[in-house]
Amino acid sequence: HVQLVESGGGSVQAGGSLRLSCAASGYAFGSYCMGWFRQAPGQKREGVASIESDGTAKYAASVKGRFTVSRDNAKNTLYLQMDSLKPEDTAMYYCGSWRCGMNPFSDAYWGQGTQVTVS
């Protein structure tokens, strides 16, 4: 069965860095689009960064220049390097995987999330 497991969250001071990982299994990881999403309390889930099967990446304006998304198709793993973290980056971060061209908010597989807290 499909499984996405995030790790790497934690608490960090403003200006610090964290690296999130998402290990995927149970499907053809390499052919799917992948992405990181976040949800703060009382807020809607929002897209942070996405990466296509060929490595083409896109970022939300709020994180562009600070976050870097990457994937290792040989290891079925997605990463998010987060630098220059700000308090407004505090949220639960989710890994999502969907067939490219589909709407991730309605069609993605999701992990359980990992908490990022910036103070």
Side-chain angles (χ1 to χ4, degrees):
H1 67 285
V2 174
Q3 192 170 20
L4 299 173
V5 180
E6 301 98 334
S7 61
S11 296
V12 64
Q13 291 189 335
S17 298
L18 285 173
R19 189 191 194 208
L20 306 184
S21 298
C22 172
S25 61
Y27 71 108
F29 175 89
S31 63
Y32 276 59
C33 282
M34 300 290 299
W36 290 98
F37 299 75
R38 67 187 181 188
Q39 188 168 15
Q43 303 293 318
K44 293 182 178 179
R45 187 172 297 190
E46 64 175 0
V48 174
S50 64
I51 185 166
E52 298 180 8
S53 54
D54 66 357
T56 301
K58 296 179 181 178
Y59 298 92
S62 58
V63 306
K64 200 167 187 178
R66 300 188 296 122
F67 291 10
T68 303
V69 63
S70 61
R71 63 190 295 166
D72 185 335
N73 290 339
K75 295 183 178 180
N76 286 5
T77 303
L78 175 73
Y79 303 99
L80 184 69
Q81 177 66 41
M82 304 187 293
D83 299 317
S84 302
L85 282 160
K86 303 176 181 180
E88 51 263 44
D89 294 318
T90 295
M92 185 71 77
Y93 282 70
Y94 296 92
C95 167
S97 180
W98 64 97
R99 292 186 183 274
C100 298
M102 304 297 285
N103 182 348
F105 290 96
S106 58
D107 298 316
Y109 301 122
W110 296 103
Q112 82 288 350
T114 186
Q115 178 68 38
V116 171
T117 302
V118 185
S119 59

